[in-house]
């Protein structure tokens, strides 16, 4: 949801900014720009479209400027045009800003600024921020006329005055022409990290734009700003109170964010699943004693044994993982559980009883709706845990405690390895809570033993790549698909449909298989492939019945079944198999061929798999 990067140091800023934007492009990719500060002027380059377009308009050879800010956009206010691309420069020409987030009261501020004589060139909320800072900087007096800046920090003061007026979310990097020796970064509700190198500083939306230059970083909290000068940096709150921040080691490495021979990040991330699941389980599963050790929440677990209700909240793919979690908490721990769309939950004035356990699931740890639900659950007294991938992300820091996914950076916009790890973590949590209540050691041991076999089994599924590609090819001209599953494979049907629609732009719907006959069966023709997840499970006979209903109406079927199931072959126009496992763990396997199917469909249709249209990786706006 927009990526920002800013450089302040001794090297040429331009190539560092362009490379940083390339790394952040998954966050938004409808327009991009850089502003370079050189010889008392801003050199501004911006353009609609991808970073590749920006590379075509920046100077060659590179500008000698050693300070600059850059942005890759996912449009919220105003179309993805060149005038709306960031950076935005205020009407005095002195202040340049890049912004990730939303300024909620921008319209009223814009009206006031226009009355005060400011002019605007774009439709964005961000230009209001630039003009507001410019206004206070020029006027040199606060809005109530009570406050004037100290002589040597007028720029910093003007930023604080402007932020006083703003409601909304922002990660900002700001430059001022009169102060070429200062760069300011501010965070509130959008991620912002300061990379600290030798005589150089990089502000960025995430560590992938920093790691090439330094492994030391400061993670700003909401309401904090950093002021970078040649001799170092200071951190304070927006309200001008000094804060001491710790330098932390960035945990990702450069090779984790490279393609390493794969054509796409999504392809790489699907293939990484055996290894990342291994890492996710490592040291956490104690098969011998039928127990799970989750370091991040060990202290909370003791109290959680008495939990009366589990509320899971998430969005999109993470919500589908939460639905698997809901089933498992009920089945294994016998605790009433419900997964909520975070976006709906927060506006519903939900009843959260004392002692409820609230679990937020998020790959990025920055999803605005999930974060808002977390804040609400905390206010209402729930114990709030996070199941998050990005270390140090806002949700990870806002929750009371949590469990990291440990899958490394997920860069492909379509989430794959994070889903399987989210399911694995929720499975471990459900088993451990079950064990602390009434789940027998024998059952827990058997489940955990089987859980440790999952990475190998996923590896085996990946060997069917060519066959799955052919199935995608055989159905590539079909514009509507159905995905059906029952029980724990129903969330997988939802996830299979979401994967297909978001990257191949094929309309797809996921449903509980038994719901078909209540309406959607009217859609069935031989032009509509139906994907059934029909593995050996308690509802096997029932789903065979559902397959027959579809075939009786001329429907074509793609069936995901258990290896060695000869009986099912007669029901499948196309068959994909997964190794046998216990019913509770089947989603960890059955989702993998559906990820592969969606991947191949998107490639065959010629789409940009890693950057599907209209989407962005982390949704930091409501
Ligand atoms: C789909 C996808 C999205 C995310 C959703 C939540 O492939 O990636 O549906 O799952 O936006 O994102 P996180 O998990 O970062 O909170």
């Amino acid at each position: 949801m927009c990526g920002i990067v800013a450089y302040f140091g001794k090297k040429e800023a331009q190539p560092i900014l362009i490379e940083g934007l390339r790394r952040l492009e998954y966050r938004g990719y409808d327009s991009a720009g850089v502003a370079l500060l050189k010889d008392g002027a801003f050199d501004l380059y911006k353009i609609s479209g991808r970073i590749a377009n920006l590379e075509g308009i920046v100077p060659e050879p590179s500008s000698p400027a050693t300070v600059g800010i850059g942005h890759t956009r996912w449009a919220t206010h105003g179309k993805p045009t060149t005038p709306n691309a960031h950076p935005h420069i205020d009407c005095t020409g002195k202040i340049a800003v890049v912004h990730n987030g939303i300024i909620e009261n921008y319209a009223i501020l814009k009206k006031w600024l226009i009355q005060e004589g400011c002019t605007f060139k774009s439709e964005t909320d961000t230009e209001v921020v630039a003009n507001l800072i410019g206004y206070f900087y020029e006027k040199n007096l606060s809005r109530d006329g009570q406050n004037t800046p100290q002589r040597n920090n007028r720029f910093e003061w003007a930023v604080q005055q402007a932020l006083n007026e703003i409601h909304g979310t922002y990660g900002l990097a700001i430059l001022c022409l009169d102060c070429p020796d200062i760069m300011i970064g501010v965070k509130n509700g959008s991620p912002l990290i300061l990379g600290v190198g030798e005589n150089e500083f990089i502000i960025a939306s995430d560590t992938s734009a920093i790691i090439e230059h330094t492994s030391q970083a400061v993670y700003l909290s909401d309401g904090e700003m950093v002021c970078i000068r040649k001799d170092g940096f200071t951190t304070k709150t927006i309200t001008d109170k000094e804060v001491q921040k710790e330098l932390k080691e960035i945990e990702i490495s450069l090779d984790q964010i490279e393609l390493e021979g794969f054509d796409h990040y999504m392809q790489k991330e699907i293939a990484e699943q055996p290894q990342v699941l291994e890492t996710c389980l490592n040291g956490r599963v104690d098969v011998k004693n039928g127990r799970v050790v989750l370091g991040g929440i060990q202290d909370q677990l003791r109290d959680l044994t008495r939990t009366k209700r589990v509320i899971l909240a998430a969005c999109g793919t993470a919500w589908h993982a939460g639905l698997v979690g809901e089933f498992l908490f009920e089945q294994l721990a016998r605790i009433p559980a419900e997964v909520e769309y975070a976006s709906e939950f927060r506006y519903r004035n939900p009843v959260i009883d004392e002692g409820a356990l609230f679990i937020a699931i998020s790959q990025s740890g920055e999803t605005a709706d999930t974060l808002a639900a977390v804040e609400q659950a905390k206010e209402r007294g729930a114990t709030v845990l996070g199941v998050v991938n990005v270390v140090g992300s806002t949700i990870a820091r806002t929750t009371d405690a949590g469990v990291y996914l440990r899958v490394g950076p997920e860069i492909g916009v379509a989430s794959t390895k994070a889903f399987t790890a989210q399911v694995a973590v929720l499975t471990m949590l459900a088993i451990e809570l079950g064990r602390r209540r009434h789940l027998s050691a024998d059952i827990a041991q058997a489940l955990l033993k089987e859980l440790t076999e999952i990475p190998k089994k996923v590896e085996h599924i990946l060997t069917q790549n060519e066959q799955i590609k052919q199935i995608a090819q055989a159905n590539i001209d079909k514009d509507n698909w159905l995905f059906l599953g029952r029980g724990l494979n129903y969330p997988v049907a939802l996830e299979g449909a979401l994967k297909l629609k978001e990257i191949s732009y094929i309309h797809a719907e996921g449903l509980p298989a038994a719901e078909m006959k209540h309406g959607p069966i009217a859609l069935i023709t031989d032009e509509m492939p139906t994907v059934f997840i029909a593995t050996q499970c308690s509802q096997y006979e029932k789903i065979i019945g559902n397959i027959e209903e579809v075939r009786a109406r001329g429907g074509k079927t793609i069936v995901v079944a258990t290896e060695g199931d000869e009986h099912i072959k007669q029901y499948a126009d196309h068959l994909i198999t997964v190794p046998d496992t216990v019913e509770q763990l089947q989603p960890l396997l059955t989702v993998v061929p559906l990820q592969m199917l969606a991947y191949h469909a998107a490639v065959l249709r010629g789409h940009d798999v890693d950057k599907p249209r209209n989407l962005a990786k982390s949704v930091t706006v409501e």
Side-chain angles (χ1 to χ4, degrees), residues 315-318 361-365 367 370 413-415 422 498-499 502 617 619:
C315 303
T317 287
I361 309 159
S362 175
Q363 187 286 127
S364 61
T367 300
T370 311
V413 165
S415 187
Q422 284 159 351
L498 177 61
K499 286 288 90 83
E502 70 182 325
K617 183 72 180 162
V619 185

Side-chain angles (χ1 to χ4, degrees), residues 19 22-23 253-272 409-413 599 608-611:
E19 179 57 21
R22 218 175 49 74
R23 300 230 182 261
S253 60
L254 201 53
D255 53 335
Q256 284 181 301
I257 54 175
E258 299 287 2
L259 273 172
E260 292 186 309
F262 288 91
D263 294 331
H264 301 99
Y265 283 106
M266 182 183 181
Q267 184 191 32
K268 179 183 179 212
E269 287 155 10
I270 291 172
E272 278 175 349
E410 190 181 66
I411 296 170
V413 165
Y599 171 75
D608 187 342
V609 174
D610 287 330
K611 299 186 191 76

Side-chain angles (χ1 to χ4, degrees), residues 301-526:
L301 271 176
R302 216 167 303 128
D303 297 337
L304 292 178
T305 314
R306 290 185 295 279
T307 293
K308 297 249 171 354
R309 182 176 164 221
V310 178
I311 304 166
L312 302 118
C315 303
T317 287
W319 187 90
H320 298 153
L323 187 55
V324 177
E326 173 186 308
F327 288 16
L328 293 177
F329 280 110
E330 297 206 341
Q331 277 187 23
L332 301 175
R334 304 302 299 154
I335 307 175
E338 199 155 352
V339 61
E340 301 273 0
Y341 286 111
S343 54
E344 289 292 321
F345 179 77
R346 55 183 297 200
Y347 291 112
R348 221 182 48 216
N349 192 13
V351 178
I352 304 177
D353 12 349
E354 214 180 298
L357 167 60
F358 182 95
I359 304 176
I361 309 159
S362 175
Q363 187 286 127
S364 61
E366 302 293 346
T367 300
D369 288 321
T370 311
L371 178 61
V374 164
E375 281 160 355
Q376 191 171 62
K378 276 184 88 170
E379 266 165 33
R380 294 179 184 213
T383 302
V384 180
L385 302 185
V387 173
V388 171
N389 189 37
V390 177
V391 176
S393 57
T394 311
I395 294 176
R397 284 180 292 130
T398 310
T399 45
D400 296 322
V403 183
Y404 280 120
L405 301 181
R406 300 182 180 163
V407 300
E410 190 181 66
I411 296 170
V413 165
S415 187
T416 52
K417 61 178 178 176
F419 174 84
T420 41
Q422 284 159 351
V423 172
V425 167
L426 293 170
T427 306
M428 288 190 276
L429 198 50
I431 293 174
E432 182 57 21
L433 275 182
R435 279 293 281 128
R436 285 168 186 250
R437 291 160 70 90
H438 58 80
L439 190 70
S440 75
D442 286 357
I443 296 177
Q445 280 162 347
L447 283 168
L448 291 173
K449 167 94 186 39
E450 197 50 38
L451 190 57
T452 60
E453 303 288 320
I454 291 292
K456 260 199 312 244
K457 293 184 177 182
V458 172
E459 182 101 60
H460 181 66
I461 297 169
L462 298 176
T463 62
Q464 289 178 73
N465 188 47
E466 206 39 50
Q467 182 197 341
I468 294 172
K469 184 173 170 186
Q470 279 167 22
I471 297 173
Q473 176 74 68
N475 292 281
I476 202 65
D477 58 334
K478 304 288 187 282
D479 289 326
N480 296 288
W481 293 44
L482 276 178
F483 286 74
L484 304 179
R486 298 179 75 116
L488 278 151
N489 280 320
Y490 157 52
V492 174
L494 296 178
E495 177 59 6
L498 177 61
K499 286 288 90 83
L500 190 69
K501 59 189 152 190
E502 70 182 325
I503 55 169
S504 65
Y505 317 149
I506 293 170
H507 171 244
E509 228 182 299
L511 289 168
E515 274 298 300
M516 273 285 286
K517 54 188 177 291
H518 300 289
I521 201 162
L523 294 167
I524 297 296
T525 68
D526 62 357

Side-chain angles (χ1 to χ4, degrees), residues 3-7 17 21 24 33-35 68-72 86-87 98-99 173:
I4 68 177
V5 59
Y7 180 80
L17 296 179
L21 291 178
L24 295 173
V34 292
I69 57 180
H71 188 269
T72 180
H86 300 212
V98 286
H99 169 218

Side-chain angles (χ1 to χ4, degrees), residues 47 63 67 131 134 195 219 264 379 404 407 412 491 497 532-533 549 611:
I47 190 160
S63 154
V67 175
N131 269 317
Y219 291 81
H264 301 99
E379 266 165 33
Y404 280 120
V407 300
F532 279 98
I533 303 134
E549 288 157 12
K611 299 186 191 76

